[in-house]
Amino acid sequence: MDSGTILVIEDEPSIGDVVSLYLKRAGYQVSVARDGEAALDALARQLPDLVILDLMLPKVDGFEITRRLRQQGDTPIIMLTARKQEADRIAGLEMGADDYVVKPFSPQELVSRVRAVLRRTRPAATQNERPLTYGDLEIDPLTRMVTLGGEPRNLTVKEFDLLWLLAQHPRQVFSRDQLLDRVWGVTDYIDPSTVTVHVRRLREKIEPDASQPRYIHTVWGVGYKFEP
């Protein structure tokens, strides 16, 4: 059985109840908020291990909740979006969401996504996984801390996982599908543009000049690589 606390923020009772049921069966402690204000109240009392968030909520929408969560830290966020809301999905990812699931979805698929995200949030670092240092950039897998010139950079779960994978294999080119498979653990349900969004946000956080990347380079027509 799994463990961990999850806050489901969903205004449609039928969806919220089904998601809660499946997560509880998987061993998680689950609470449900039916609107944005209730969600913010719950988050003010205690931050969960993961948030499942419908973007279209009454009172306070999912974008505002994402913004506030990212001001507090890197609590993983899985968005729930409608199939036609591609622009909203991209906007949510750019704000710091870690993953998304498109409605209608399989509850088992959502549980699998939750497991994958939480597994990466709590990595089993080995003695061989020592900090990597490239110039002013230091990446520590044990603490999941990234610093640039000694200054900490606040990365989300997926941003750290993406950077760690690339930095572990300097100059190796990864396609977007390969990155989806290695970082997200799935390629069938996620738009490859998710990788593009995360790379852009990662550059904004770790590059001295995001418009002229020093570390994460685009290999046009192929994918991305890390230059030490």
Side-chain angles (χ1 to χ4, degrees), residues 29 117 159 167:
Q29 299 178 45
V117 171
E159 288 167 359

Side-chain angles (χ1 to χ4, degrees), residues 154-186:
N154 185 25
L155 270 59
T156 67
V157 173
K158 285 294 189 293
E159 288 167 359
F160 182 92
D161 293 340
L162 181 60
L163 176 61
W164 179 246
L165 174 62
L166 292 170
Q168 278 186 304
H169 304 87
R171 298 193 176 94
Q172 178 177 336
V173 180
F174 290 88
S175 70
R176 291 194 296 179
D177 282 344
Q178 286 174 320
L179 292 171
L180 282 175
D181 181 59
R182 298 282 291 274
V183 175
W184 279 261
V186 64

Side-chain angles (χ1 to χ4, degrees), residues 132-140 145-155 163 201-210 213-216 226-227:
L132 296 175
T133 302
Y134 298 104
D136 293 335
L137 181 67
E138 182 170 313
I139 312 163
D140 188 337
M145 287 290 295
V146 174
T147 58
L148 183 66
E151 294 294 324
R153 291 293 186 260
N154 185 25
L155 270 59
L163 176 61
R201 291 178 54 241
L202 190 53
R203 283 172 172 163
E204 291 171 353
K205 294 183 178 182
I206 70 164
E207 298 284 3
D209 181 356
R214 172 181 176 184
Y215 298 111
I216 301 178
F226 185 93
E227 278 291 340

